[in-house]
């Protein structure tokens, strides 16, 4: 018996993976280094005990959406929640992408933007950033005019580079996108670490979606919960496409309770931003190039060593960072997720030792 054939375009894809190794210090997946407050964990355990497991959860997740809206300063009907911001992106692409439509990305950027687009049957056009990983607005204008993308992606702060876009840049890209009746998605998975957010441009009259996640700043990667802030008319379309009861009861409870700890989240963000400054200052004294980051990670490149070899030397010292050395446009680059102060110091000490050791 022959096996059924998958779509030709899917058969050619590679999956999205983040390899894990057994090491003492793991700084490769952009997770938060600290858990939520113990009180959150206790309250969540108590609340889960009261779930009526024989009943479906709230289909609209209305309480969660309303609370997110309150925290983000928008209306409840301008919030869409899903199983991580990746499912939010997938739902947007299922709604506004598809066969005969195009998505535009600017590389290097988050690999799932193009991956999810292709899964949704959307053609992908990859624009290029400058050598310093910045947007060239002339290039942006040319590509949007030529390809008239249904969906254009910006990631700010950008993963894996850490660069964030200015208000003027996002305003201009949004104008260009709207001129071809397209949609601009600004992926702000790391938005709370940056000095400015595109959510300030949200209105009922703009073709703008801002996506965010609980995984980073709320220390809830295990929950897989994310959301979009968008015009109410767009959210209504997403509600038509997403699967029924897609957010389980425990996830909705966790999302609600987490928002009671806004001060704790803000303190964790502030501490990581301070650590980011300390680590970048230390990297400036080492034989590496680095790029300004508005996120909880730093992209750097050894000047006189192979990135892959430096990565292996760190692994040999039980420290894992993200190996971007072979990625397109990122020759010899490595990406460090900021950990605790002790973990960051251990990384810096190990990197300094590696870079100072004579090559064989």
């Amino acid at each position: 018996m022959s096996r059924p054939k998958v779509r030709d375009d899917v058969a050619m894809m590679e999956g999205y993976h983040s390899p894990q190794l057994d090491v003492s210090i793991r700084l490769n997946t952009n997770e938060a280094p600290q858990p939520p407050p113990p009180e959150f964990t206790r309250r969540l355990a108590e609340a889960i005990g009261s779930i009526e497991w024989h009943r479906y959860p709230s289909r609209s997740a209305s309480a969660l959406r309303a609370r997110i809206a309150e925290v983000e300063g928008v209306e409840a009907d301008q919030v869409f929640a899903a199983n991580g911001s990746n499912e939010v992106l997938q739902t947007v692409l299922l709604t506004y992408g598809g066969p005969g439509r195009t998505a535009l990305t600017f590389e290097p950027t988050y690999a799932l933007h193009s991956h999810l687009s292709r899964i949704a049957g959307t053609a992908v056009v990859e624009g290029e950033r400058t050598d310093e990983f910045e947007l060239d607005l002339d290039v942006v204008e040319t590509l949007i005019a030529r390809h008239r993308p249904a969906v254009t992606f910006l990631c700010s702060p950008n993963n894996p580079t850490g660069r964030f876009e200015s208000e003027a840049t996002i305003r201009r890209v949004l104008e260009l996108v709207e001129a071809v009746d397209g949609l601009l998605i600004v992926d702000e998975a790391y938005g709370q670490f940056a000095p400015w957010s595109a959510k300030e441009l949200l209105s009922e009259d703009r073709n703008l979606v801002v996506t965010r996640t609980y995984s980073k700043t709320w220390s809830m990667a295990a929950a897989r919960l994310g959301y979009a802030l968008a015009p109410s008319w767009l959210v209504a379309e997403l509600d038509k496409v997403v699967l029924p009861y897609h957010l389980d009861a425990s996830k909705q409870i966790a999302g609600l309770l987490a928002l009671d700890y806004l001060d704790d989240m803000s303190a964790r963000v502030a501490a990581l931003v301070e650590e980011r400054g300390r680590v970048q200052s230390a990297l400036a004294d080492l034989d590496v190039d680095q790029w300004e980051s508005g996120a909880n990670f730093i992209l750097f490149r050894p000047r006189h060593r192979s990135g892959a070899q430096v990565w292996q030397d760190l692994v040999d010292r039980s420290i894992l960072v993200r190996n971007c050395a072979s990625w397109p446009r990122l020759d010899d680059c490595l990406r460090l997720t900021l950990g605790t102060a002790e973990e960051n110091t251990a990384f810096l000490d190990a990197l300094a030792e590696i870079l100072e050791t004579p090559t064989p």
Side-chain angles (χ1 to χ4, degrees):
M1 183 176 67
S2 61
R3 296 180 179 179
K5 293 183 177 180
V6 301
R7 286 168 24 201
D8 290 343
D9 53 342
V10 172
M12 297 175 65
M13 290 181 186
E14 294 184 6
Y16 178 81
H17 305 288
S18 179
Q20 296 299 330
L21 302 175
D22 185 13
V23 295
S24 299
I25 299 177
R26 193 174 71 182
L27 303 173
N28 72 319
T29 52
N30 297 347
E31 298 162 322
Q34 301 286 1
E39 183 182 87
F40 163 83
T41 305
R42 177 185 59 77
R43 291 178 61 195
L44 178 59
E46 292 177 357
I48 287 177
S50 66
I51 291 175
E52 296 181 335
W53 292 103
H54 61 301
R55 303 295 185 190
Y56 285 114
S58 168
R59 179 165 180 162
S60 63
S62 54
L64 175 61
R65 292 193 194 191
R67 186 73 177 96
I68 292 172
E70 181 181 348
V71 170
E72 294 285 10
V74 300
E75 300 298 322
D77 60 2
Q78 294 178 313
V79 176
F80 174 79
N83 294 284
S85 58
N86 290 335
E87 187 182 54
V88 173
L89 296 173
Q90 183 181 57
T91 305
V92 174
L93 286 161
L94 289 171
T95 308
Y96 288 95
R101 298 191 176 194
T102 299
L104 175 60
T105 66
F106 296 94
E107 305 296 332
T109 192
Y110 186 35
L112 274 183
H113 292 165
S114 57
H115 185 67
L116 290 172
S117 296
R118 293 185 176 102
I119 287 174
T122 312
V124 177
V125 173
E126 295 183 353
E128 297 293 327
R129 293 174 179 267
T130 69
D131 290 342
E132 290 300 311
F133 305 131
E134 296 176 328
L135 281 180
D136 182 329
L137 287 176
D138 290 336
V139 171
V140 175
E141 183 172 2
T142 297
L143 290 175
I144 290 175
R146 178 184 303 159
H147 297 283
R148 303 182 67 84
V151 177
T152 297
F153 285 98
L154 292 182
C155 190
S156 183
N158 188 40
N159 179 12
T161 68
R163 305 302 297 263
F164 55 91
E165 309 298 349
S166 69
E167 178 178 355
T169 293
I170 291 182
R171 281 186 182 275
R172 180 56 181 154
V173 176
L174 181 57
E175 290 171 357
L176 294 168
V177 164
E178 290 175 335
V180 298
D181 299 326
L183 178 67
L184 176 62
I185 300 177
V186 180
D187 185 341
E188 289 192 348
Y190 311 93
Q192 289 93 337
F193 297 103
W196 180 82
S197 170
K199 73 176 184 178
E200 296 178 24
L201 301 181
L202 282 170
S203 80
E204 289 293 291
D205 301 322
R206 306 309 302 263
N207 297 356
L208 175 66
V209 177
V210 177
T211 61
R212 292 193 155 193
T213 179
Y214 275 70
S215 297
K216 322 300 179 186
T217 54
W218 293 100
S219 297
M220 286 178 58
R224 303 304 300 129
L225 181 59
Y227 56 93
L229 309 175
S232 60
W233 50 264
L234 189 147
V235 170
E237 298 299 328
L238 301 183
D239 283 332
K240 297 177 186 178
V241 174
V242 74
L243 292 173
Y245 307 109
H246 66 294
L247 282 179
D248 65 72
S250 58
K251 187 168 299 186
Q252 292 185 44
I253 291 171
L256 276 167
L257 288 177
L259 298 178
D260 288 343
Y261 299 91
L262 181 61
D263 290 344
D264 295 84
M265 184 273 280
S266 299
R268 289 196 300 272
V269 169
L272 279 171
V273 169
E274 184 174 352
E275 269 298 284
R276 185 179 69 202
R278 181 179 77 89
V279 173
Q280 287 185 310
S281 178
L283 287 173
D285 294 330
L286 299 179
D287 192 25
V288 300
D289 294 318
Q290 61 174 313
W291 288 268
E292 181 185 13
S293 173
N296 67 331
F297 56 84
I298 300 167
L299 187 74
F300 67 97
R301 176 190 288 141
R303 292 182 185 135
H304 300 104
R305 299 290 182 99
S306 157
Q309 185 58 57
V310 171
W311 178 83
Q312 184 61 58
D313 289 342
L314 286 167
V315 170
D316 292 344
R317 291 162 173 79
S318 204
I319 298 172
L320 181 62
V321 299
R322 192 64 182 265
N323 185 1
C324 311
S326 62
W327 294 6
R329 309 170 183 88
L330 294 174
D331 293 348
D332 286 322
C333 286
L334 304 174
R335 191 193 67 196
L336 162 74
T337 299
L338 294 164
T340 64
E342 293 76 16
E343 289 172 334
N344 297 334
T345 296
F347 158 78
L348 289 168
D349 290 345
L351 181 62
E353 178 185 345
I354 291 166
L355 296 175
E356 291 170 0
T357 302
T359 54

